[in-house]
Amino acid sequence: MGTRLIIDTDPGVDDAFAIALAALSDDVELLGVTTVFGNVPLETTTLNARRLLELCGRLDVPVAAGADRPLVHAQLDRAAHVHGADGLSGRSHTLPEPTRPLASSDAVSLLVSLIEAADGPVTLAPIGPLTNIALLLAAHPGVKAKIARIVIMGGGLHHGNSSPAAEFNIWSDPEAARRVLVEEDVPCVLVPLDLTHRCTFDSAWLDKLAASGPLGATLESLTAEYLAHYRTELGFDGIVLHDAVAVAEAIKPGILVTETYPIEVDCGFGAARGATVADRRLKPGGGRTVDVALDTDLDGLRAFLLTRLAGTR
């Protein structure tokens, strides 16, 4: 039996690669996909997720729409300047229209039903704001016993991208992130910018993906605006697939190297709002700890993603 996985997502170019990675991996039992506001509005993230599953031939995977706003305070900004107005570099219209109807239940209800019905522990991979996951854990604490771990793309110990201190997913709903990372007791792996920014995928990697077949070519075609953004960030033709790095760890535990720390999330209203702060003292204070992914075999990770996405295993 492979990893029983549910992805919570706000597609997003890197989310698209993450969804495809799970959908195309035969050692993954992809139970469902739930959507959340984030890179673009909820209606768009939901349609993107459904189109991506259609592209991957995964009509068996249910999709439910979740939170369209943060728990407490309004989201200050989207990420259209990175992902394009439609979340997929203006290319979402090139994906097939979904044929499976959207689930009639909301995201939290679908999460509960899928977790309770699963015949073993389930891994959650939230790769957008953590609003749906915070609501799930608050309203349905009984499901925690069946959650193997939560693998989260988010945070940055030394820098941010939405502000000098905060990474986009955490910054979009710090109160939800604090509930999941600080207040709950479910095992969590945090995959922060400190690692994902090192996991670059250059134009040669993208060319290999595009040459692998129609699906790989379609994924590569979604990267134009994303590539333009990261060309200025990285100084070369390449992209950073933050969310796919986290889903790789959800699929293959240990592909990322982790260290364990107490984590705090700044929910104030100053310059550090949304920052994730790890207590890295030799003798840290008490409290709940989180496994933080800080290293990996970069070439091995790139090969893992290319092999899965190109279907060449």
Side-chain angles (χ1 to χ4, degrees):
M1 174 63 68
T3 302
R4 300 174 193 86
L5 181 64
I6 303 172
I7 293 177
D8 186 72
T9 180
D10 63 334
V13 175
D14 54 333
D15 305 74
F17 280 73
I19 290 168
L21 177 63
L24 298 172
S25 292
D26 57 18
D27 56 351
V28 172
E29 185 181 354
L30 185 57
L31 301 177
V33 171
T34 53
T35 60
V36 66
F37 74 94
N39 290 313
V40 287
L42 178 68
E43 182 179 1
T44 307
T45 67
T46 304
L47 181 57
N48 286 349
R50 296 171 66 207
R51 283 173 162 165
L52 288 160
L53 288 169
E54 189 83 21
L55 173 70
C56 295
R58 294 302 305 269
L59 307 186
D60 59 308
V61 178
V63 178
D68 65 354
R69 69 194 72 182
L71 290 181
V72 182
H73 301 286
Q75 185 186 27
L76 296 177
D77 200 5
R78 310 268 189 209
H81 63 290
V82 178
H83 297 270
D86 68 346
L88 298 175
S89 293
R91 299 284 295 176
S92 63
H93 66 280
T94 66
L95 297 177
E97 288 298 316
T99 55
R100 175 169 180 154
L102 184 67
S104 58
S105 62
D106 62 274
V108 172
S109 297
L110 181 64
L111 285 164
V112 172
S113 65
L114 292 174
I115 293 168
E116 290 181 341
D119 56 4
V122 175
T123 297
L124 304 183
I127 51 177
L130 286 164
T131 315
N132 289 338
I133 307 303
L135 290 167
L136 168 72
L137 299 177
H140 302 276
V143 303
K144 292 192 287 185
K146 288 194 67 178
I147 297 174
R149 58 183 188 151
I150 306 175
V151 182
I152 299 162
M153 191 283 123
L157 304 191
H158 295 102
H159 60 91
N161 55 9
S162 288
S163 78
E167 177 274 332
F168 177 81
N169 288 342
I170 307 300
W171 173 84
S172 293
D173 194 344
E175 285 77 16
R178 190 178 192 282
R179 174 151 200 119
V180 176
L181 290 166
V182 180
E183 299 176 11
E184 296 290 354
D185 56 359
V186 180
C188 286
V189 178
L190 185 68
V191 183
L193 296 178
D194 307 72
L195 175 58
T196 62
H197 267 168
R198 294 171 51 212
C199 300
T200 56
F201 297 80
D202 63 17
S203 57
W205 188 93
L206 288 168
D207 289 344
K208 290 178 183 177
L209 177 63
S212 69
L215 195 149
T218 300
L219 287 173
E220 188 276 337
S221 75
L222 303 177
T223 65
E225 289 194 37
Y226 199 64
L227 183 63
H229 170 80
Y230 276 106
R231 184 179 295 120
T232 62
E233 291 267 328
L234 300 172
F236 63 88
D237 280 344
I239 59 175
V240 181
L241 294 176
H242 307 279
D243 295 337
V245 174
V247 169
E249 170 62 27
I251 294 171
K252 187 177 181 181
I255 197 170
L256 308 182
V257 179
T258 63
E259 299 177 15
T260 303
Y261 301 109
I263 294 286
E264 185 55 81
V265 179
D266 191 322
C267 293
F269 296 97
R273 178 170 172 78
T276 45
V277 182
D279 189 344
R280 305 181 78 174
R281 294 175 293 178
L282 291 177
K283 294 184 178 180
R288 188 260 183 100
T289 59
V290 171
D291 292 335
V292 183
L294 294 175
D295 202 4
T296 191
D297 173 357
L298 294 175
D299 287 337
L301 178 69
R302 294 181 185 110
F304 176 79
L305 263 66
L306 184 61
T307 298
R308 297 292 177 104
L309 294 171
T312 56
R313 284 190 299 161

